[in-house]
Amino acid sequence: MHTDPHRAQLILNIATEVFWEWNLNTGIILLSPRYYELTGIAPCPDTTESCFAEMARLPVSHQNFFSRIRSSLEDNTDTVFLSYQLEPENGTPIWIESKARISGFDDRHRAARIIGTMENVTGRKQAEEKLRKLNRALLAINNCNHALLHADNEIALLGDICRIVVDTGGYRMAWVGYAEHDEAKTVRPAAMAGIEEGFLEQLRITWSDTERGQGPTGSAIRTGQACSISNTLTDPSFKPWREEALKQGYTSAQSLPLKKNRTAFGTLTIYSSIPDAFDDEETQLLTKLADNLAYGITMLRIRKARELAEEQLRQSEARYRSLFQNRHLAMLIIDPEDGSIVDANPAAANFYGWRLEELLEKKITEINTLSEEEIKKEMRRSVESKCNYFLFRHRRADGSIRDVEVVSGPITIDSKQLLYSIVNDITERKRIQELLSESNERTQFILSAVNAGLWETQTPSNASVWSSEIWKLYGLEPDSCEPSFDNWLRTIIPEDRAITEQAVLDALKKGAEFNSTWRVRDSDGNVRWLMTRGIPHKDKDGRILRYVGIVIDVTDRKQEEENKRLLESSLRKSQRLETIGTLAGGIAHDFNNILTPIIGYAEIGISSTDDSDAFHDYFKEIMHAAERSRNLVEQILTFSRAQESTPSVISVQAVIAEALKLLRPSIPSSISIEQRIDNSCSNILADPSRIHQVIVNFCINAFQAMEESGGIMTIELTEIVPDDALVLLHPKLQKKTYIRLAVADTGIGMDEATLERMFEPFFTTKPVNKGTGLGLSVVHGIITGCNGVITAASTPGKGSVFHVYLPTIDTPCGKIGTHDSPMPGNGNILIVDDESANNRMMTILLTKLGFNVTALDSPVEALELFSQKPDQFNLVITDLTMPLMSGIELAVELHKARPLLPVILMTGYGKDIGHKDLERSGIVKSLHKPVKIPELTTTINQLITRPASVKPAE
C-alpha cells in the first residue's frame, strides 16, 4: 500500500466493513466508503486526517483516539482496542469501537503504517448505560427497603432514603416534602440529601393549581402520578425555580407521590445533573421506591400511634382507681386464678344487692350462672385477648337473674394481673329485643311511631342493611344508593362528619357499643337531629361479626332543649332588669324630694313677679329645667315600673300616624318608610304619650342605624292570637288577642352581647351626643307596665327588628280629664316631712295662699303636738317615708285621737299606695312629688270644705 496508493484505495472502496489506514510518514488516513455511510458526512477532498478530526472534535474522543495510538507506537504494542465518540453532521454523538495494529515498518524498523476497523456500538452502549442506571435504581431500592425495615423514626428514615437515592442512585439532590392543608396549600420540606446550598429555603412550592404549583412536586401531589421535568432550562412549568436550579446544577427532575389510600400526602423529588435522566423503566422503579417509602411512613405513624395509645392505656390504669368508685355502672375487679372478687364499686354493690363487704367475700362463680369450668374458660379468653365483650346471666342477692353485658380486660394492680369487668344490666333491653324479633310487623309499627329506623353493618366488609324507615331519616330516596358506611357518612352534614366517624372507629377499636348524635338534611333541606345506638355481635372467640343498631329522630327533643335555653336566658334578663329597676326607683324617690322645693320656689317666684320683671323670666327657666328633670325621673320610674301612668283607650294606628307625621321631616330621603298597618286592629288600654314615646324611640333607633348607609324602615301593625310556640318562648303571653307592633330596619345591626344588655338603663353603643342609654330601658318599662311583651332580633350588617305585643280591649277611645286651676283658701294645716327644704317651701307657698301652716320634720314631734290640741288643725299633709315612723303609721296614730281628720299622703315614689292601705290608715288622698300648686291647692280646698260626716273608707 505504501508503493501503490491507487491499489490500496481500490481495496478500501470495495470493502464491506469500515476500514482505515494511517500512513505515519505522510500523515494520510485512508477511510473506506463505509465510514462515510456510517457517519453521514461527505468524503473529504483529500485523504487526510481532517475528515476524522472533524468527527472526533469532542475533546475526550480526540484524545482517546490519537493519544492511544501514539502510546501503542511508543510501547510497540502489536494490537490496540479503542472506544470513543464521534459527532456526525446531525449533531448526535455515536459510539465507535476500533481495532488497530501496525501493518508496516520503515527501513529503521519503525512503524510506518497502521490499519484498523470501526464498529458503531451506540446501541450497545445505550443498552449498557440503561442497564447501569436500572441496576443503580435497583440497588437504591434495595438499600431503601433495608432502611425501611430498620427504621423507628420518621424524620431519620426520610434522611436515610434521601442519602441512599443520592449516593447509590448517583443523583444531584433528593428531598421529601409533605403537603400541608393550609390556605396556601404549601409543601413543607421534611428531609433532603445532596447538593442543595439553600435551594429548598427559596422553593416556596405549593400544591395548589397556581404558578408555583405547576412544577413536578405540586403536580405529583395534585394528580397522584409521577411527574418529570426533562430539561429545567426549557420546560415552562419550571420557570419560578429555574435560576436557582441552574446554580445548583439541576438539569432534570422527577417527583414521585407518597400516597395513602390513593391520596398523595407528600412527594419524593429527585434532581439530576443531566437532561432526560428519567426514562419509563427508571420511573417505574423509583415509583416502587416511593410506594415503599409511603408505606413505611404510614406504618411508622401507625406504630407511633399504637405506642402512644399503649402509653395512654398505662396512664389510664393509674387513673382507674379514682374513676372506679364514681362510675355509675357496676364494676368488678376479679382474680382470674380463682375467680375471687378483689374489689367492687358502690354501683356494683347497689346492683347486686349485697353490702360491699359481703360482695368482696364472694367469687364470680357465685354470681355468674355458667358452670365453674365455663367461667374459667371465659376468663382465660379475656386475659389472652386483652379485651372481650360478654353476655352473661348474673344472680343477685334476692335470687333474681339479670341479663348483663360485660366488658372485661386485663389490668395490673400492685404488680398482679387481674381482670376488670364493667357490668351493664341489659335485661330490659334484651326483653325488648326479643319482643321485636317476635313480630316484624310490630317492629315496623313501633319504628314508624317513634320516627326511627334499624341498620346492620357487617365487619370487616362494611356491607350494610337499612330498614325502609331509615332512608327518610337520612334524607334519601328509597334505594337511591347502596347502603354502606361511606354513603351513610355522606348524609351527615360536614360539621358533624369527622367527629361521628371517629366515634365509629373508637367503638370498633374497643369492641364496644356505638352511640352518637349528628345532624342531616331531609329531602326538604331542613336540618334534623339523629341519634343512634349500635350493638356489636361477636363470635365465640370475641371477634366482632357485625353491628346492629337503631337511629331515632331527636329533632323535637333538641328543639325543646334549645327553647328551654332561650327561656332561661329570657328569665335571667328579666331578673336583672327587675333588680336594676328597684335601684332606679330608689334613685327617683330621692330626686323627686330634691325637685319638690325647686318647682315650688319656681312657682312662687313666677306668681310673685310681673311679666316685665327679669326675674319672672329667670323663674320660668328654672321651672322649665325642673320640668325636664321631672320628665327624666318619670322615665326612670317608668323603667322601674314604679311610675303609674293614667291609661286610656287608644288606637295604636292613630298614634303611629301622629308619630310618623312628627318624625318624617327629620328623616333623610335616603331612608324610605314602609307602612303595613292593619287599620282594623282593636284598641288597647295605655297612656297615649307613652305609646307615642315607644314608637318614636324605635323609629329614632332605626334612623340612626341607617344614618350613613340609608335603607328601609318598616312599621307593621297586625292583630294576632299567640300560638303554642310563641307562648312557650314568652310565658307572659296568653292565648288571647294582641296587637303586634313591629319596627324593622336594614341598618348595621347588633351582636349577641349588645342584644343581651340593650334594655339595661344607661347602656348605649351610641356616641355621647347621640343617646343617654335610657331609651330602650324606658320602652321596656312602658311595655311591661301595659302587660305586654317586647322582643328583639338582630344580625350584624343586616339590620334589627323589634316586636311589641300588647293586649287589646273592646272599648272605644275616650278622653283624659285635667286638674282645675289653683285657688286660695284658709285653714290650719300641719305639714310633716323629714326634708326641711320641702317644709320651708310648702310653708311659704301655702301661707301666700291664705293658709296657716305648721311644719315639722319629725313625725314623733308632730304626733306630740297634735295630741295636745287635736282640733286645732283642719288638715295634715305627711311624707310617706320618714325616720322612726312612716306617714301611714302617723295617720293611724292621728286618727286614734281624731278619726275624721283629713290626711294627705305625699310620696317621692311613683307607685300608688294600695287602696286598702289608705282606707285602713284613714288617708283620703295620695299625691306624687313633685306636686304642682294647682293640684295641691285644689286637693286641700276639697278636703277642708268637705262635710264632717264624710269619713274615710274603713
Side-chain angles (χ1 to χ4, degrees):
M1 294 178 72
H2 178 69
T3 58
D4 191 355
H6 296 290
R7 182 180 176 188
Q9 186 65 45
L10 177 63
I11 294 173
L12 294 174
N13 289 339
I14 64 175
T16 58
E17 59 182 355
V18 177
F19 180 82
W20 57 272
E21 182 183 29
W22 185 7
N23 190 324
L24 299 178
N25 293 327
T26 63
I28 296 174
I29 297 178
L30 297 177
L31 301 170
S32 69
R34 287 287 297 161
Y35 174 81
Y36 302 108
E37 295 176 10
L38 175 66
T39 61
I41 65 172
C44 298
D46 52 5
T47 54
T48 65
E49 179 189 357
S50 61
C51 291
F52 179 78
E54 289 180 0
M55 296 294 296
R57 56 178 172 264
L58 297 175
V60 176
S61 298
H62 200 284
Q63 180 181 2
N64 284 347
F65 183 82
F66 290 102
S67 297
R68 290 287 305 280
I69 290 295
R70 290 187 176 91
S71 296
S72 66
L73 293 177
E74 294 174 357
D75 298 338
N76 291 321
T77 303
D78 181 55
T79 302
V80 62
F81 294 91
L82 304 172
S83 179
Y84 51 90
Q85 278 186 295
L86 296 182
E87 187 174 341
E89 288 298 321
N90 62 8
T92 303
I94 61 175
W95 279 95
I96 300 295
E97 281 191 358
S98 288
K99 182 171 70 173
R101 68 182 183 83
I102 301 172
S103 63
F105 300 88
D106 58 12
D107 297 338
R108 299 179 182 179
H109 201 69
R110 292 181 301 185
R113 293 179 182 275
I114 300 176
I115 63 173
T117 60
M118 291 185 183
E119 180 182 359
N120 185 350
V121 294
T122 302
R124 191 181 74 198
K125 282 286 187 179
Q126 290 175 343
E128 290 174 352
E129 175 62 19
K130 184 175 182 180
L131 181 60
R132 184 186 67 81
K133 291 174 63 178
L134 292 178
N135 286 335
R136 184 180 64 190
L138 288 171
L139 179 59
I141 291 175
N142 181 66
N143 292 342
C144 289
N145 288 339
H146 183 76
L148 286 169
L149 289 174
H150 296 84
D152 60 359
N153 180 278
E154 181 176 335
I155 298 301
L157 171 63
L158 299 181
D160 290 343
I161 296 298
C162 290
R163 281 191 293 275
I164 291 170
V165 169
V166 171
D167 297 341
T168 305
Y171 297 106
R172 188 80 172 169
M173 194 267 281
W175 66 284
V176 174
Y178 287 154
E180 299 289 346
H181 292 275
D182 53 4
E183 184 176 357
K185 296 184 178 180
T186 56
V187 180
R188 174 177 58 85
M192 60 79 57
I195 300 173
E196 187 261 341
E197 297 181 359
F199 178 69
L200 293 179
E201 296 178 0
Q202 306 179 41
L203 277 181
R204 292 190 294 114
I205 291 180
T206 176
W207 56 280
S208 63
D209 194 8
T210 59
E211 181 185 24
R212 302 194 76 84
Q214 301 303 320
T217 301
S219 299
I221 293 176
R222 281 198 314 278
T223 63
Q225 303 293 327
C227 183
S228 300
I229 298 294
S230 299
N231 195 323
T232 59
L233 296 175
T234 59
D235 196 310
S237 67
F238 203 77
K239 181 181 177 181
W241 310 280
R242 180 173 298 147
E243 183 177 349
E244 287 298 323
L246 292 178
K247 293 180 182 178
Q248 310 294 335
Y250 307 152
T251 308
S252 60
Q254 185 171 68
S255 289
L256 307 148
L258 305 176
K259 294 185 288 185
K260 178 184 178 183
N261 298 332
R262 299 182 180 180
T263 300
F265 63 86
T267 64
L268 169 63
T269 301
I270 304 171
Y271 292 96
S272 175
S273 59
I274 60 176
D276 296 315
F278 305 96
D279 56 23
D280 292 342
E281 293 187 13
E282 187 166 5
T283 297
Q284 292 179 1
L285 291 173
L286 292 175
T287 300
K288 183 64 176 177
L289 167 62
D291 291 341
N292 291 346
L293 175 58
Y295 178 78
I297 293 171
T298 303
M299 289 300 101
L300 277 176
R301 292 178 177 179
I302 293 175
R303 186 194 309 168
K304 290 296 181 183
R306 184 174 63 250
E307 291 173 355
L308 178 61
E310 291 173 353
E311 176 62 24
Q312 291 174 342
L313 178 61
R314 287 190 291 272
Q315 293 177 4
S316 69
E317 289 175 352
R319 297 191 299 268
Y320 181 79
R321 173 52 56 186
S322 62
L323 298 174
F324 181 76
Q325 295 297 328
N326 299 322
R327 191 71 182 265
H328 68 279
L329 291 176
M331 295 185 67
L332 302 174
I333 304 296
I334 302 171
D335 189 339
E337 293 183 0
D338 59 3
S340 60
I341 298 175
V342 177
D343 200 358
N345 67 349
N350 183 62
F351 171 68
Y352 289 110
W354 285 292
R355 289 186 296 106
L356 186 60
E357 295 79 5
E358 296 174 332
L359 185 59
L360 296 181
E361 293 176 354
K362 297 187 177 297
K363 294 185 177 182
I364 193 65
T365 53
E366 301 177 62
I367 295 176
N368 199 318
T369 59
L370 294 177
S371 67
E372 184 173 350
E373 187 61 32
E374 289 174 321
I375 293 173
K376 289 182 178 180
K377 178 182 177 181
E378 298 294 9
M379 286 194 294
R380 285 195 299 271
R381 288 177 55 204
S382 181
V383 171
E384 294 169 359
S385 301
K386 304 299 182 185
C387 183
N388 278 316
Y389 175 83
F390 302 94
L391 294 175
F392 292 135
R393 291 172 64 81
H394 278 191
R395 183 180 294 105
R396 301 200 297 184
D398 60 4
S400 62
I401 304 298
R402 306 293 291 181
D403 291 297
V404 296
E405 60 181 6
V406 179
V407 176
S408 182
I411 184 172
T412 301
I413 300 178
D414 297 332
S415 302
K416 181 176 179 61
Q417 188 178 53
L418 303 172
L419 285 177
Y420 73 86
S421 292
I422 302 175
V423 182
N424 186 26
D425 186 355
I426 61 168
T427 304
E428 188 65 19
R429 186 178 74 192
K430 186 175 181 180
R431 185 184 69 82
I432 293 175
Q433 289 174 343
E434 291 173 352
L435 290 174
L436 289 175
S437 63
E438 290 176 0
S439 172
N440 184 59
E441 181 180 352
R442 184 185 304 170
T443 300
Q444 294 294 326
F445 176 78
I446 294 174
L447 293 177
S448 177
V450 301
N451 202 11
L454 296 177
W455 57 268
E456 179 178 330
T457 298
Q458 304 290 329
T459 57
S461 66
N462 283 336
S464 299
V465 177
W466 296 346
S467 69
S468 57
E469 298 85 4
I470 218 166
W471 297 90
K472 182 179 179 181
L473 293 175
Y474 289 169
L476 300 173
E477 291 294 328
D479 302 320
S480 60
C481 65
E482 184 72 21
S484 67
F485 178 77
D486 292 335
N487 285 334
W488 166 64
L489 282 179
R490 292 189 184 98
T491 66
I492 302 173
I493 68 173
E495 294 85 352
D496 296 350
R497 193 171 297 158
I499 190 171
T500 307
E501 183 178 8
Q502 187 60 47
V504 174
L505 298 177
D506 290 343
L508 286 171
K509 182 178 179 181
K510 298 176 181 178
E513 283 189 9
F514 167 54
N515 296 279
S516 185
T517 304
W518 68 91
R519 291 171 293 174
V520 299
R521 290 192 181 276
D522 61 19
S523 56
D524 296 327
N526 301 315
V527 174
R528 309 290 296 177
W529 281 93
L530 301 181
M531 181 179 70
T532 191
R533 183 183 186 188
I535 301 174
H537 288 240
K538 302 180 181 180
D539 61 14
K540 62 181 181 179
D541 296 322
R543 292 187 293 267
I544 298 176
L545 299 176
R546 65 186 181 276
Y547 268 86
V548 178
I550 185 171
V551 177
I552 303 175
D553 188 329
V554 294
T555 305
D556 292 340
R557 189 181 76 185
K558 286 287 186 179
Q559 186 62 49
E560 289 176 2
E561 292 174 355
E562 177 64 16
N563 290 341
K564 180 181 178 182
R565 186 189 67 80
L566 293 175
L567 181 59
E568 290 174 349
S569 176
S570 178
L571 288 174
R572 286 194 300 270
K573 291 180 185 177
S574 298
Q575 291 169 355
R576 185 166 65 249
L577 289 173
E578 184 175 352
T579 301
I580 297 174
T582 302
L583 175 62
I587 295 172
H589 167 261
D590 293 340
F591 204 10
N592 274 334
N593 277 330
I594 296 172
L595 285 176
T596 296
I598 295 175
I599 292 178
Y601 284 124
E603 287 184 311
I604 293 172
I606 292 173
S607 63
S608 302
T609 56
D610 296 332
D611 293 345
S612 60
D613 192 336
F615 284 98
H616 188 85
D617 294 333
Y618 299 159
F619 285 124
K620 278 189 175 182
E621 290 300 323
I622 294 173
M623 192 66 184
H624 292 161
E627 286 290 341
R628 288 196 296 271
S629 299
R630 184 167 70 171
N631 291 336
L632 177 60
V633 173
E634 288 180 355
Q635 291 186 19
I636 295 175
L637 290 173
T638 298
F639 167 75
S640 67
R641 291 175 293 181
Q643 177 68 43
E644 302 293 341
S645 59
T646 304
S648 62
V649 179
I650 62 170
S651 167
V652 178
Q653 303 94 298
V655 178
I656 292 174
E658 180 183 348
L660 291 180
K661 182 178 180 181
L662 174 68
L663 289 170
R664 181 68 264 190
S666 61
I667 297 178
S669 58
S670 60
I671 298 174
S672 60
I673 300 177
E674 292 186 0
Q675 299 184 52
R676 301 170 186 170
I677 308 299
D678 182 359
N679 290 316
S680 64
C681 289
S682 302
N683 297 327
I684 65 170
L685 185 63
D687 185 338
S689 64
R690 299 294 174 82
I691 301 302
H692 185 278
Q693 182 179 358
V694 169
I695 296 170
V696 169
N697 184 275
F698 282 157
C699 292
I700 290 176
N701 285 343
F703 152 62
Q704 292 177 343
M706 301 182 290
E707 190 171 7
E708 295 183 1
S709 60
I712 300 173
M713 179 195 304
T714 304
I715 302 176
E716 182 177 352
L717 183 69
T718 56
E719 190 172 292
I720 69 164
V721 176
D723 56 18
D724 292 338
L726 192 59
V727 172
L728 182 63
L729 285 176
H730 306 290
K732 290 184 178 180
L733 293 177
Q734 303 175 23
K735 286 200 171 183
K736 62 181 183 179
T737 306
Y738 287 81
I739 61 106
R740 181 177 66 188
L741 171 65
V743 180
D745 65 73
T746 58
I748 58 177
M750 296 179 285
D751 57 21
E752 287 292 335
T754 303
L755 282 172
E756 187 75 17
R757 300 187 58 196
M758 65 181 174
F759 291 125
E760 294 181 10
F762 309 112
F763 173 76
T764 180
T765 59
K766 300 175 183 177
V768 175
N769 60 345
K770 288 268 181 102
T772 63
L774 280 174
L776 285 178
S777 64
V778 170
V779 166
H780 183 276
I782 293 172
I783 300 305
T784 305
C786 294
N787 297 320
V789 170
I790 179 172
T791 67
S794 184
T795 301
K798 294 186 177 180
S800 306
V801 59
F802 287 85
H803 287 98
V804 169
Y805 301 88
L806 292 170
T808 63
I809 60 171
D810 296 327
T811 305
C813 297
K815 295 182 180 181
I816 303 175
T818 59
H819 293 295
D820 295 331
S821 300
M823 57 187 300
N826 57 73
N828 297 323
I829 300 175
L830 173 61
I831 297 176
V832 187
D833 194 327
D834 61 327
E835 295 287 341
S836 300
N838 289 347
N839 287 340
R840 288 193 296 271
M841 182 275 297
M842 292 284 284
T843 300
I844 296 172
L845 176 62
L846 295 178
T847 301
K848 289 177 65 67
L849 292 174
F851 297 99
N852 296 319
V853 178
T854 301
L856 298 174
D857 56 9
S858 170
V860 176
E861 293 179 6
L863 184 59
E864 182 179 352
L865 175 64
F866 182 83
S867 62
Q868 295 174 3
K869 292 183 179 182
D871 296 328
Q872 66 177 321
F873 297 107
N874 302 102
L875 178 72
V876 175
I877 301 175
T878 179
D879 189 20
L880 172 63
T881 305
M882 296 179 293
L884 302 178
M885 185 182 295
S886 69
I888 294 177
E889 293 172 338
L890 176 60
V892 172
E893 295 299 323
L894 293 175
H895 284 123
K896 288 179 180 179
R898 185 178 166 189
L900 299 180
L901 175 70
V903 178
I904 298 175
L905 181 69
M906 295 187 66
T907 175
Y909 290 103
K911 188 173 182 179
D912 281 336
I913 308 302
H915 183 64
K916 291 184 178 180
D917 291 336
L918 295 179
E919 287 182 348
R920 283 194 295 268
S921 62
I923 296 172
V924 295
K925 187 67 176 179
S926 174
L927 297 177
H928 299 301
K929 295 181 182 178
V931 64
K932 285 195 165 186
I933 293 176
E935 183 181 5
L936 177 63
T937 57
T938 299
T939 302
I940 291 173
N941 286 321
Q942 287 176 349
L943 295 179
I944 288 179
T945 59
R946 72 175 183 170
S949 59
V950 178
K951 298 181 180 180
E954 296 182 356

